[in-house]
Amino acid sequence: MEGDCLSCMKYLMFLFNFFIFLGGACLLGLGIWVIVDPTGFREIVAANPLLFTGAYIMLAMGAMLFLLGFLGCCGAIRENKCLLLFFFMFILLIFLAELSAAILAFIFRENLTREFFTKELKKHYQRNNDTDVFSSTWNSVMITFACCGVNGPEDFEAIPHLPYSSSETATPEACCQRELQSREGMFVNKEACLSGVERFQNRQGCYTVILNSFETYVYLAGALAIGVLAIELFAMIFAMCLFRGIQ
């Protein structure tokens, strides 16, 4: 009976570590996508120290979970006490680090408010200056999501024009409607847009558009994080039980 229980524990341990392996692979892939994404999010992440740190923490956690899931599977199948103990200690450290990161994310969530992005836009945006990383990134986001500013075109009224800009309207070119939402897309009517004709402008703010676009993914990421933490907890319990049961 004891042997059957140990065998059951071994395969449960393997199963939980397989899920940790998959969760690590997902976090690793998501971290890589955020950092190298060609649509401009890379620059937004780089411009905000908190987001920059969070992206690399997610990347590091994904890589460690990927490795630990593999080691845990090997330790369970081979019934190696050394691997199991190493797995337990390492997964405990990761569990505590992830819990700390979740608490910090909750505490500093005000850095991602509408007011924060509006303040940063008015402070750093330089309209069509593509040599400026911040401005070029915002232009890419507005073109990609067919939106304008954080709240709408009114965000740009207080932003001064560049000395070499010939446009006299507050609305930047990136807010003008295009036939295809990319930098290569043709304007529907650029002159009318820049002269203030609203029907040729993207009037909706990017904060609302992006929030609506990613709302489902935010809940999915939260559910995935809770699932990963639960799996890690059970994996630690099974690892210690299997460690104690191996002669």
Side-chain angles (χ1 to χ4, degrees):
M1 187 69 181
E2 185 178 346
D4 292 339
C5 183
L6 186 63
S7 179
C8 178
M9 194 70 67
K10 179 175 72 173
Y11 287 109
L12 281 174
M13 173 74 177
F14 176 85
L15 181 63
F16 274 104
N17 276 284
F18 181 70
F19 284 122
I20 289 175
F21 176 82
L22 291 180
C26 289
L27 284 177
L28 186 62
L30 185 61
I32 293 173
W33 177 77
V34 169
I35 292 170
V36 305
D37 178 59
T39 59
F41 289 107
R42 177 178 62 250
E43 286 79 9
I44 290 180
V45 170
N48 190 317
L50 184 63
L51 294 178
F52 182 81
T53 304
Y56 277 95
I57 287 176
M58 181 169 58
L59 189 66
M61 287 297 176
M64 284 190 288
L65 286 176
F66 184 85
L67 177 61
L68 280 177
F70 178 76
L71 292 177
C73 289
C74 292
I77 292 298
R78 298 182 62 182
E79 298 184 10
N80 188 306
K81 295 186 73 171
C82 182
L83 275 178
L84 287 173
L85 184 60
F86 171 78
F87 169 81
F88 176 83
M89 297 302 295
F90 214 162
I91 204 79
L92 178 62
L93 290 175
I94 291 178
F95 179 85
L96 294 175
E98 288 175 340
L99 201 58
S100 301
I103 294 171
L104 287 174
F106 179 79
I107 293 173
F108 292 105
R109 67 190 185 281
E110 65 271 12
N111 285 345
L112 300 177
T113 60
R114 184 188 297 268
E115 291 73 22
F116 171 79
F117 285 114
T118 303
K119 179 182 176 182
E120 291 296 301
L121 180 69
K122 292 181 177 180
K123 182 179 179 181
H124 299 292
Y125 186 69
Q126 299 179 22
R127 298 185 178 272
N128 299 324
N129 183 7
D130 288 333
T131 60
D132 178 66
V133 172
F134 184 89
S135 304
S136 176
T137 299
W138 260 107
N139 288 336
S140 295
V141 170
M142 291 190 291
I143 292 171
T144 301
F145 289 93
C147 55
C148 188
V150 178
N151 309 286
E154 62 273 10
D155 290 342
F156 300 101
E157 293 176 359
I159 299 176
H161 295 276
L162 295 173
Y164 51 81
S165 175
S166 59
S167 174
E168 297 184 4
T169 181
T171 306
E173 290 183 7
C175 290
C176 295
Q177 293 182 5
R178 298 169 184 252
E179 296 177 1
L180 178 65
Q181 290 308 135
S182 69
R183 285 186 177 272
E184 293 74 29
M186 297 292 293
F187 291 100
V188 175
N189 192 328
K190 180 179 176 181
E191 290 74 17
C193 168
L194 295 180
S195 65
V197 180
E198 294 186 1
R199 67 190 183 95
F200 294 112
Q201 299 174 350
N202 296 315
R203 304 291 301 176
Q204 193 168 12
C206 293
Y207 189 88
T208 301
V209 172
I210 294 176
L211 195 64
N212 292 338
S213 299
F214 287 95
E215 185 176 14
T216 303
Y217 299 103
V218 169
Y219 289 122
L220 184 62
L224 178 63
I226 293 173
V228 167
L229 288 173
I231 289 171
E232 288 172 357
L233 184 61
F234 280 109
M236 285 189 290
I237 294 172
F238 286 133
M240 189 49 62
C241 290
L242 186 60
F243 178 85
R244 291 171 58 88
I246 295 173
Q247 302 299 325

